[in-house]
Structure formats: structure tokens, C-alpha cells
Amino acid sequence: VVPAATAADVQAAGEEVLNSALATSTAIQVIPSVITNNTPEVTVTIDVPLDQNSWVQPLFLSGTTIRSSYTLAREQDDTVLVP
């Protein structure tokens, strides 16, 4: 997660990737919901329901949602400005 990024930026980036894969009815959760300079890491959880995202109707996995969670370190911008 780059410096000055917000939870909304993280969610938008996730949605962009999912949209490029033509995934629909997805859910993205970003924890914490507010990213500050003191936030050491950010966890993103993505849910993709199989019923709306398969080429054929799922027979054995109907109603199943694939969930994946990633924890990323937030990059620090420790630039020191000297007057």
C-alpha cells in the first residue's frame, strides 16, 4: 500500500482488477477502514460468489463463495525535508 493511500483507494484498485476479470457481485473489505501514517499493514478480503462468476452453472458448488485475504505492509514515506 503506497504512502497517502486511503482504504477507498485500496478498494478501487481491487475493484479495477476484479472488473478486468469480468467478476460480478464481488465484495471487498479493507481493514483498517482508515489508513494513517501509523498503520503498519492493511488486510484486504475479497469475496467472489461462484453462482454469478462461472461459465456453467455450478452443480456441486452452488451457493459457494471464494474468499481470499491478503495482508500487505504499508510503505513508509520517511522523506525528511530540511529547511
Side-chain angles (χ1 to χ4, degrees), residues 1-13 28-44 70-77:
V1 179
V2 297
T6 65
D9 294 334
V10 174
Q11 184 159 355
I28 300 173
Q29 180 183 22
V30 180
I31 299 173
S33 59
V34 176
I35 301 171
T36 67
N37 287 338
N38 297 323
T39 303
E41 59 188 25
V42 177
T43 299
V44 180
Y70 303 92
T71 299
L72 309 166
R74 190 185 67 76
E75 296 178 18
Q76 295 284 356
D77 184 10

Side-chain angles (χ1 to χ4, degrees), residues 29-72:
Q29 180 183 22
V30 180
I31 299 173
S33 59
V34 176
I35 301 171
T36 67
N37 287 338
N38 297 323
T39 303
E41 59 188 25
V42 177
T43 299
V44 180
T45 302
I46 300 171
D47 293 331
V48 179
L50 284 182
D51 288 347
Q52 290 84 12
N53 293 287
S54 28
W55 291 346
V56 295
Q57 183 65 27
L59 179 63
F60 300 108
L61 299 174
S62 180
T64 300
T65 297
I66 295 175
R67 172 176 280 179
S68 189
S69 187
Y70 303 92
T71 299
L72 309 166

Side-chain angles (χ1 to χ4, degrees), residues 79-83:
T79 305
V80 177
L81 301 175
V82 179

